[in-house]
Amino acid sequence: MELKFRLNGAERTLQVPPKLTLLDAIRDHAGLTGTKYGCGEGQCGACTVLLDGRAVKSCILPAASAQGREVTTIEGLAVDGKLHPVQQAFLDHSAFQCGFCTPGMITGAVAFLAQHTNPSEAEIRAGLQSHICRCGTYPRIVAAVRAVASLRKEDRRG
């Protein structure tokens, strides 16, 4: 089947099998390997991408569901070589160890922060509960997300 969609801001057309997942289309057909295959059941969050700005688990989503839509992966968050604020905050707060969950965690946090401008620590934890970090860096992940929320709050004041 022919899949036409926007991937990280660029129009793409891929020839993919009809029952392919969005994760496999991104990794195997578009060549973007930042998004990870974790559990294959939509439970760990490693495969999270943005579909029209909403966080989705790409390992359980048919590629066809992206037809005519906008998909953003971890590779598409940086603009003109400048990291997205959430990516930068993850670096600043050492919010990862092995890094396997990081792409999905970051894209999930980007979607969460788009809906929650000044979340509490409890709201951040609840908002990212569908993401599993086997290294257990949750306190640093929460700190990174809080830092981005705080920056946005300061920007609104200034």
Side-chain angles (χ1 to χ4, degrees), residues 112 119-129 141-142 145-146 149:
F112 173 79
S120 67
E121 182 174 325
E123 289 170 322
I124 293 168
R125 288 181 183 280
L128 297 178
Q129 72 181 354
I141 290 166
V142 170
V145 175
R146 289 277 297 152

Side-chain angles (χ1 to χ4, degrees), residues 113 116-119 148-158:
L113 287 171
H116 302 85
T117 55
N118 189 26
V148 175
S150 294
L151 285 174
R152 289 182 176 176
K153 186 177 177 183
E154 288 174 18
D155 286 346
R156 287 190 302 274
R157 284 190 218 147

Side-chain angles (χ1 to χ4, degrees), residues 38-105:
C39 67
E41 297 177 2
Q43 298 296 311
C44 72
C47 67
T48 301
V49 298
L50 303 178
L51 181 62
D52 294 334
R54 198 177 110 244
V56 297
K57 305 301 189 328
S58 65
C59 74
I60 58 171
L61 199 64
S65 64
Q67 190 74 262
R69 299 174 77 184
E70 174 77 32
V71 175
T72 306
T73 67
I74 189 72
E75 294 94 340
L77 293 177
V79 177
D80 295 328
K82 185 175 186 321
L83 293 177
H84 185 281
V86 176
Q87 290 173 309
Q88 187 61 55
F90 267 61
L91 283 173
D92 294 345
H93 292 270
S94 299
F96 52 87
Q97 284 183 24
C98 80
F100 195 81
C101 73
T102 305
M105 192 76 75

